[in-house]
Amino acid sequence: MDLSVRIGKIQMKNPVMTASGTFGYGGEYSEFVDLDRLGAIVVKGLSLQAREGNPSPRIWETPCGMINSIGLQNVGLDAFLKEKLPWLRRFQTPVIANILGSFPEEYSNLARRLDGEVEGIEVNVSCPNVRKGGILFSSTPESLKEIVGRVRDSVKQSTLIIKLSPATSDIGQDALLCEKEGADAVSMINTIPALAIDTETRKPRLSNITGGLSGPAVKPIALKMVWDSYRRLRIPIIGMGGITCGTDAIEFMLAGATAVAVGTANFINPSATMDIISGIEAYASEKGIRKITELTGGMQCS
Amino acid sequence: MDLSVRIGKIQMKNPVMTASGTFGYGGEYSEFVDLDRLGAIVVKGLSLQAREGNPSPRIWETPCGMINSIGLQNVGLDAFLKEKLPWLRRFQTPVIANILGSFPEEYSNLARRLDGEVEGIEVNVSCPNVRKGGILFSSTPESLKEIVGRVRDSVKQSTLIIKLSPATSDIGQDALLCEKEGADAVSMINTIPALAIDTETRKPRLSNITGGLSGPAVKPIALKMVWDSYRRLRIPIIGMGGITCGTDAIEFMLAGATAVAVGTANFINPSATMDIISGIEAYASEKGIRKITELTGGMQCS
Amino acid sequence: MSRHFSAEITDIRQLSREHFILTLHRPPSAPEPGPGQFFLIRLPRCGEDPLLRRPFSIFDWDEGKLRFFIRVAGKGTAILAGSGPGERIDLIGPLGRGYPEPSDGKRPVMVSGGMGIASLFPMIREQGKGGLLLYGARTSDELHLLDEIGATGIETETITDDGSSGRKGTVLDLLHDAVQSGKMEGAVVYGCGPWGMLHSLLGFLKENRMEGYLSLEERMACGLGACMGCAKEIGGRMLRVCLEGPVFSVSEF
Amino acid sequence: MSRHFSAEITDIRQLSREHFILTLHRPPSAPEPGPGQFFLIRLPRCGEDPLLRRPFSIFDWDEGKLRFFIRVAGKGTAILAGSGPGERIDLIGPLGRGYPEPSDGKRPVMVSGGMGIASLFPMIREQGKGGLLLYGARTSDELHLLDEIGATGIETETITDDGSSGRKGTVLDLLHDAVQSGKMEGAVVYGCGPWGMLHSLLGFLKENRMEGYLSLEERMACGLGACMGCAKEIGGRMLRVCLEGPVFSVSEF
Ligand SMILES: Cc1cc2nc3c(=O)[nH]c(=O)nc-3n(C[C@H](O)[C@H](O)[C@H](O)COP(=O)(O)OP(=O)(O)OC[C@H]3O[C@@H](n4cnc5c(N)ncnc54)[C@H](O)[C@@H]3O)c2cc1C
Ligand SMILES: Cc1cc2nc3c(=O)[nH]c(=O)nc-3n(C[C@H](O)[C@H](O)[C@H](O)COP(=O)(O)OP(=O)(O)OC[C@H]3O[C@@H](n4cnc5c(N)ncnc54)[C@H](O)[C@@H]3O)c2cc1C
Ligand SMILES: Cc1cc2nc3c(=O)[nH]c(=O)nc-3n(C[C@H](O)[C@H](O)[C@H](O)COP(=O)(O)O)c2cc1C
Ligand SMILES: Cc1cc2nc3c(=O)[nH]c(=O)nc-3n(C[C@H](O)[C@H](O)[C@H](O)COP(=O)(O)O)c2cc1C
Ligand code: FES
Ligand code: FES
């Protein structure tokens, strides 16, 4: 049974990776997860400088989900390259750096400096463009195109992945735009903009007022988006959103994902990624699947 | 304590209405709900001709939510006017007809014939435009504008409400467009496009492949959309999406809703609407709120 | 009398790893069900997941109790199986159109596949003595409740898919035998079981122009005819299993 | 030895309508916690709602058991309170940085407001005899566990907001008295309680340049330092309560 999949130039031993921001820089989970067994490790979103992020409170639980507004707290590129990456290099597993910026140039600088240092660069385009009054880079085709174009020019060796926002009227179109601009793969979905209010105090539950929804609640939405995109793309899709078990991962593959990422589930079950890999293995052996890639887009609609 | 609210010309004794498609034509719930106590009754979406809808299966349960693809099965306008509406007229409660169409003309015909017959007309714009290859009327500003303009021209007496789809990159903008085109109110959110797959058979869980997600899972998303819209609108918002209790309703009002609608919760608790009205009453009296309209948009962000 | 009430679990009797009988204390306010009707049960002890109620046929009742015969089919039924006496459960019901009584002089023949017995048992209990039960299951282990059935005095023939008890075959085989031996003269058939079996039964009844009633299953949300979620194509129309059914006359197909 | 394990509930002892002690059988594989550390408990019997684990300080332990002192604060703790012996619970822990031992010759003074006693009790148990406990609560009903505290031999002073037992006031009043009477000479303070109280305590300790350790609370997701969800501004930096805390030295602020 062959569980390996390929995302751009990244050869993964199985389709299961971690979702950015939910797995720290890898070490935090090494006690519960065999990092060598992961398909790939995606680290917390990096900016050029370290960021302190938003004030607390930053998280709130919702029905079958959670909202977060971490505000992209991270150690910054230098500390990542000096302190975090060398440790991760002890493992066989490909490393994907997730990057974010406040200006288009921040993206291209990050991409240039990470190129060749990590197997993959995943570009989080759901960030406010400080120069355009804080509207998200992902929110218009023009600004999305600008970012993808810039990082494409900066990345020669690593695999370039664009991480798409679900806050769009047609994610398939956004994905297609990324493909046309030369992205090697797309990943979806990022968290969904969300709000919760404390009716006692009338204040929002998060200091940042709004945040991003993740967890099982969003799974059906994410699956629909993967399927919409799959039918229009040639490049591979990394699917995520509420995956907690092996069959969830299989669902994403049947909808069109080549690989999957596990986010919020890590918090509920720290060895979720391992259980999901085992679950996929069990499914494949039960169904007599030789190559796991056979599943991608295999939903039967007639 | 004054619980009354106004949506366009509709005076409601309290802010709680039913969500279209989840309460039949009212009679189905009369055993569990005092229809006279509701703020308004919104009936199942009506088309000109009766429709049989999609084949089964039509529903699937998801984490804290459900997906449906009823396919807008309904008795059709004539049967509604002849059989359903006269019965509803026995109650003091305003009736709002939800309408849907396959062509722009279907909307205007429905609106014209219902005008003056019901207190409100709620226009479901999340329907496939048969003439444009099935893309939703709500999916471009142009087609949204066309529909709103047409129904606006057709409705002289009833209150005109446009029901917005969450499958958009900026619902506030869609809402603003409706306001500019003369809508009296907007309601949000309709269900979120979603998919679920049976990994045993590899088939989608619904005959229609995709469907719409509703229930508690979507509440944080809906709240965010109400809040985004509230800050840009003058016309009132009817908020909905996952409301199951009084505090959920209060949350929507604090985010900017003038009234709320209860959908999926009716299935879990057939007297949900009554419990929610009582919950709002209890909250208002505990907090010493004289007029419930004070709550609208009352989230405190500093 | 309200069709929305709460009731205390008095007993959960495990019949096999997968099957159990849930007994509830029936509150005086709970209306009397009829054979073939069902209840929507809200799962106890959960937050909002699983969200929807689960439909179960009424298996047995008297003034003091309501009984359901349930197979663990997924997470909701597993939660029910793991509940204990003393816990309270929220119910809506009785719901739907049940089995009509046989018209004068007709012999009721119950055709049950698998869990169909849960829905047919009230007919067996009420019509037992003069009737006939054709009872099929996958294996002899799943021929549940033969004692309770026997106690009603009904004539019973059993069959299993694997031949582990009695004949090997399906209830349709029993039906053909019954026809051969003249037992189906003037019979009215009540069928409940998997769709494949009901489909064959329907074909048989149509072909032989026999009166019959079939109980169908479909996923449900409201159970009250409001959401249209449970509609199934029957005779070219989309009918609601919760309201126009779950029992449909052969003539409707 | 794994910090992710499952344990059986052996007892749930209700102390009041809102407060209970949860006792678990401690499996041999569960590592030894230290005072001030905490565990993330996955709620039993639920689907995926409530989704997140809940953090609770370790209240007491020995080779065979783990004990938690819990107040019902919302739906998760209500589910826990409604659980019963025999059910299994999934835990991650011990987590975080607990209270350091007092440096040589220093007198440990525990300052507890409300539920703070849950986190401070292991310090009381270990440092009891020579120490001092200033114990405040809203009412005398909420001055829980005085017996267990007494048994450690610690010198204890109590106070309630409403004066229903002992003095009327807050632990800060007790603290000022202790200073007056010279009891705070060479003391190291361990504080746990509501943020308002800790804030005042922090001011007091800073002003008097005293050594002290405060245990903070914040909403958590991972508990492992990975999600950044629990970060709080401390001394101008966003520190993770789950990893750099929950106990912080006054000098960090
Ligand atoms: C009118 C009627 C009467 C029934 N009577 C009985 C009975 O007496 N005893 C019994 O054991 N079972 C009965 N069933 C089937 C029972 O409702 C399902 O087995 C049960 O809902 C499965 O829930 P789950 O959470 O364990 O499974 P899951 O697979 O986790 O359920 C997922 C979703 O699918 C729905 N679903 C799954 N299987 C069915 C099914 N066969 N029919 C309808 N919805 C389904 C569930 O309600 C739920 O919404 C009846 C069904 C209907 C429609
Ligand atoms: C390190 C630490 C140790 C704790 N030790 C104890 C203890 O020993 N005994 C005890 O009774 N309580 C303790 N708490 C508080 C306890 O975690 C909360 O009361 C509990 O999570 C509330 O859950 P709920 O579902 O009942 O409330 P809900 O209000 O329904 O919870 C909603 C969400 O908010 C979070 N939340 C609510 N209150 C708190 C809080 N005060 N701190 C952190 N998160 C919160 C929940 O975890 C959940 O994610 C501790 C908290 C922390 C951070
Ligand atoms: C606490 C938290 C932090 C996150 N941080 C990032 C991030 O830095 N960059 C990013 O692209 N996505 C981030 N995400 C989004 C996840 O990578 C993922 O897209 C999303 O959570 C959906 O997957 P899930 O439902 O499995 O969590 C974060 C999610 C969470 C819950
Ligand atoms: C079974 C079902 C049928 C629905 N039918 C309609 C409809 O006919 N027209 C419409 O505008 N919205 C329809 N909706 C959407 C609801 O009115 C509501 O917008 C949505 O379900 C979100 O609210 P909820 O989470 O409270 O259910 C339907 C929803 C459900 C669950
Ligand atoms: S379940 Fe809602 S109409 Fe039948
Ligand atoms: S809870 Fe995740 S970093 Fe602290």
Side-chain angles (χ1 to χ4, degrees), chain A residues 62-64 67 139 166-170 192-205 207 209-211 213 216-224 227-228 247-248 250-252 254-255 283 286-287 289 294-295 298-302, chain B residues 62-64 67 139 166-170 192-205 207 209-211 213 216-224 227-228 247-248 250-252 254-255 283 286-287 289 294-295 298-302:
Chain A
T62 67
C64 288
I67 316 182
S139 65
T168 174
S169 54
D170 185 352
I192 306 180
L195 171 66
I197 305 172
D198 182 345
T199 56
E200 286 303 311
T201 61
R202 297 197 184 183
K203 287 194 183 141
R205 295 286 190 179
S207 70
I209 305 176
T210 63
L213 182 67
V218 311
K219 195 186 74 168
I221 303 172
L223 276 167
K224 163 75 160 66
W227 188 66
D228 279 353
T247 42
D248 287 346
I250 303 288
E251 254 188 286
F252 272 87
L254 291 171
Y283 179 90
E286 192 193 309
K287 305 285 180 232
I289 292 163
E294 287 169 23
L295 288 179
M299 177 168 73
Q300 257 138 42
C301 289
S302 58
Chain B
T62 67
C64 288
I67 316 182
S139 66
T168 175
S169 54
D170 186 352
I192 306 181
L195 171 66
I197 305 172
D198 182 345
T199 57
E200 285 304 309
T201 61
R202 297 196 184 184
K203 287 194 184 141
R205 295 286 189 178
S207 70
I209 306 176
T210 63
L213 181 67
V218 312
K219 195 187 73 166
I221 303 172
L223 276 167
K224 163 75 160 69
W227 188 66
D228 279 353
T247 42
D248 287 347
I250 302 288
E251 255 188 286
F252 272 87
L254 290 172
Y283 178 90
E286 192 192 309
K287 306 284 179 236
I289 292 164
E294 288 169 23
L295 288 179
M299 178 167 72
Q300 257 138 41
C301 290
S302 57

